[in-house]
Amino acid sequence: MITQCPIQPGKRYTYQFNVTGQEGTLWWHAHASVHRTTVYGALVIRPRGGPKAYPFPKPFKEVPILLGEWWIADVVDVDNEAFLKGGAPNISDAYTINGKPGDLYNCSITETYKLEVEQGKTYMLRIINAALGNQLFFKVAGHSFTVVAVDASYTKPYKTDVVVIAPGQTVDALMVADAPPARYYMAAQAFISTAPPPPPRPTFDNTTTTGIVQYKFTKPTSKHVTTTMPSFFDNGIADGFNANLTSLIRPGDPTVPLHVDERMFVIYGFGIAACQPGQVLCNQTQGALAACMNNVSFQSPTTMSLLEAHFKGVNGIYTSDFPEKPAMTFDFTNASVNSVSALQPLMFTARDTKLKKLKYNSTVEMVLQNTAILGVENHPMHLHGFNFFVMARGYGNYNATTAAKSYNLVDPQTRNTVGVPAGGWAVIRFTANNPGVWIMHCHLDAHLSIGLAMAFEVENGPTPETTLPPPPPDYPSC
């Protein structure tokens, strides 16, 4: 309901789009209800000159590694139950690698992804986190990686033995098959940036999905070489991974805009909203679990997509008054302070459809500040329609004076999804050069469904090439 209405049963819609300034791995997925649980795939963008034009030695083979989640129950039923109760959905029962859970789960020993490698060859793993609910650690026993790209943007080579990846993110990592020929586990498990939340909030899926890296001519009956995974709560490894990623700037690549036209300070996290009429199992006294940005819990329209309303100038679908800063300043990340009665009103959020209007080609700097209201979590924030520079990240409350000293104005990583530290903040900067309506949202599906989102309305540019074209004839209607 942002750029289009859902494609109706039995109908079809063809997407035509330009790939501009991106090389590497992206992914496509459904964006209605929780259909992206299984409706997703890799989108590989190679240089115009082919693999020989990579800014690193051409790998012997490229392998998509899609990390997902799986429920025993029908996941739509799981989502519907959460809505009816006004709470969080049940956690997943398994993780998957390329759709297979691996041999550590009951009855799944035959459902294990296997990658055959040749001694001495280099493989590029195009790793995608398609999970709905968790950041993940990814490792291959006995092997290390060289990260060369994230979110379809090249990085300076970074050597590591573990990849940290949030939902919505991609990581391209070179792996040399230089271990003694054998069978090696690849594995992924949750990274939880805070201690497990207390009941009645659900705990996390603490299982491990496995695949097998098998050297050519190795007997399939030989034992697996195992790997030691980090602690679920190892923030040090996660912070180190993110801090060491910097962009590979080549001639002609976009550089960090130094002039800023629009500055936004956005606090976000959990809250409480009134039970909706359809939430028949919701506690009317306590209200429903909600999420918000600057105390606005995003409400998707129901009769017309935001893009169509923007293009046709239809009133009543949304307003262009999303607040640029929070209504009040407080100790955002201190859970004990946030429990005092003076801040109780901040727990209660209003559902609304508010957009922030941007002039074409303006530069936006956005501070994303986590709060501790009703709990602290890491939120992977994803922006549609743009790449952005991650200027800085940190813990605690954002302080403009001290934070500015840590800004990377030379080669910050370029992303479309940033993991904002739990109890912390991140600063992103982007140029609004793509007309239309684009949503920013948390890529944890449960958080998006309860309102952790907002949207930008980008005005047309001065030329036909920078003007939003009319919707195509087969544009999905509601």
Side-chain angles (χ1 to χ4, degrees):
M1 299 301 296
I2 310 301
T3 56
Q4 68 176 77
C5 295
I7 303 169
Q8 298 301 312
K11 302 294 183 180
R12 65 176 64 185
Y13 179 61
T14 300
Y15 293 92
Q16 294 181 324
F17 56 95
N18 295 325
V19 177
T20 304
Q22 292 175 305
E23 294 178 11
T25 306
L26 294 174
W27 64 303
W28 58 267
H29 60 83
H31 224 298
S33 181
V34 286
H35 295 171
R36 82 169 177 90
T37 309
T38 53
V39 185
Y40 59 79
L43 181 63
V44 175
I45 306 166
R46 293 192 174 90
R48 287 189 178 275
K52 292 182 179 179
Y54 288 140
F56 45 80
K58 176 186 173 183
F60 174 68
K61 189 176 182 180
E62 301 176 16
V63 185
I65 301 291
L66 287 94
L67 308 175
E69 271 180 291
W70 187 83
W71 279 257
I72 293 175
D74 185 323
V75 71
V76 176
D77 291 341
V78 172
D79 187 56
N80 289 340
E81 180 184 18
F83 172 77
L84 293 175
K85 293 180 178 179
N90 291 335
I91 61 173
S92 57
D93 297 292
Y95 298 109
T96 59
I97 298 176
N98 286 350
K100 298 185 176 185
D103 57 7
L104 299 185
Y105 297 99
N106 291 333
C107 307
S108 67
I109 192 168
T110 60
E111 297 297 325
T112 303
Y113 171 71
K114 298 179 179 65
L115 170 62
E116 185 178 82
V117 298
E118 295 184 32
Q119 181 74 33
K121 301 291 187 181
T122 299
Y123 296 79
M124 180 154 70
L125 306 185
R126 297 182 176 273
I127 307 164
I128 299 167
N129 187 346
L132 269 66
N134 279 312
Q135 298 184 85
L136 298 170
F137 289 123
F138 175 81
K139 293 185 70 174
V140 175
H143 295 74
S144 60
F145 308 109
T146 301
V147 175
V148 293
V150 295
D151 292 0
S153 296
Y154 292 121
T155 64
K156 292 178 181 176
Y158 167 54
K159 294 185 180 298
T160 178
D161 67 348
V162 58
V163 168
V164 184
I165 186 167
Q169 290 184 333
T170 70
V171 173
D172 293 347
L174 302 177
M175 183 188 77
V176 181
D178 56 1
R183 289 160 56 89
Y184 295 84
Y185 266 131
M186 65 169 66
Q189 70 174 34
F191 159 52
I192 305 299
S193 53
T194 59
R201 292 286 305 282
T203 57
F204 63 96
D205 183 344
N206 61 0
T207 63
T208 302
T209 179
T210 56
I212 296 172
V213 173
Q214 179 173 314
Y215 278 68
K216 196 172 184 178
F217 306 122
T218 302
K219 293 181 179 180
T221 56
S222 60
K223 292 184 178 179
H224 308 125
V225 178
T226 60
T227 183
T228 301
M229 299 298 289
S231 161
F232 296 116
F233 313 105
D234 199 327
N235 280 279
I237 287 180
D239 289 341
F241 180 87
N242 285 295
N244 281 289
L245 294 176
T246 54
S247 288
L248 179 67
I249 306 296
R250 300 175 298 167
D253 286 347
T255 55
V256 184
L258 301 181
H259 172 76
V260 176
D261 301 299
E262 297 272 2
R263 296 185 185 275
M264 302 178 66
F265 187 88
V266 179
I267 65 171
Y268 66 97
F270 297 114
I272 297 293
C275 299
Q276 300 181 60
Q279 294 181 295
V280 295
L281 302 179
C282 180
N283 187 313
Q284 298 293 329
T285 303
Q286 295 180 1
L289 181 66
C292 59
M293 301 180 71
N294 279 354
N295 216 40
V296 179
S297 185
F298 186 80
Q299 182 73 51
S300 292
T302 57
T303 59
M304 178 181 290
S305 73
L306 294 180
L307 182 62
E308 187 174 5
H310 163 81
F311 186 86
K312 295 180 178 179
V314 177
N315 295 322
I317 304 298
Y318 64 88
T319 59
S320 300
D321 58 347
F322 180 83
E324 297 179 354
K325 59 183 180 180
M328 63 181 294
T329 301
F330 56 99
D331 192 352
F332 303 116
T333 57
N334 188 331
S336 60
V337 171
N338 288 344
S339 64
V340 301
S341 59
L343 297 179
Q344 290 298 308
L346 288 174
M347 288 189 184
F348 297 92
T349 178
R351 294 189 177 95
D352 212 336
T353 310
K354 294 180 180 289
L355 278 58
K356 166 66 177 174
K357 182 173 285 189
L358 299 175
K359 291 186 179 298
Y360 177 79
N361 221 34
S362 59
T363 298
V364 182
E365 181 173 293
M366 194 174 191
V367 178
L368 296 164
Q369 172 72 63
N370 243 316
T371 67
I373 298 175
L374 296 183
V376 182
E377 288 193 35
N378 180 304
H379 299 273
M381 298 301 295
H382 172 59
L383 176 59
H384 287 214
F386 303 93
N387 285 340
F388 53 73
F389 295 101
V390 181
M391 308 301 294
R393 300 165 76 250
Y395 286 95
N397 297 328
Y398 174 81
N399 179 289
T401 302
T402 56
K405 298 176 183 179
S406 66
Y407 278 25
N408 183 342
L409 298 173
V410 179
D411 56 1
Q413 58 180 288
T414 304
R415 286 278 196 184
N416 60 49
T417 305
V418 59
V420 183
W425 51 269
V427 181
I428 66 171
R429 194 177 287 184
F430 68 96
T431 301
N433 55 8
N434 194 4
V437 179
W438 305 101
I439 191 171
M440 166 174 269
H441 66 88
C442 180
H443 226 293
L444 301 177
D445 222 60
H447 297 177
L448 168 60
S449 65
I450 59 175
L452 214 167
M454 56 83 61
F456 292 103
E457 181 182 17
V458 181
E459 296 178 348
N460 282 334
T463 64
E465 290 77 18
T466 60
T467 299
L468 184 69
D474 61 342
Y475 185 79
S477 65
C478 296

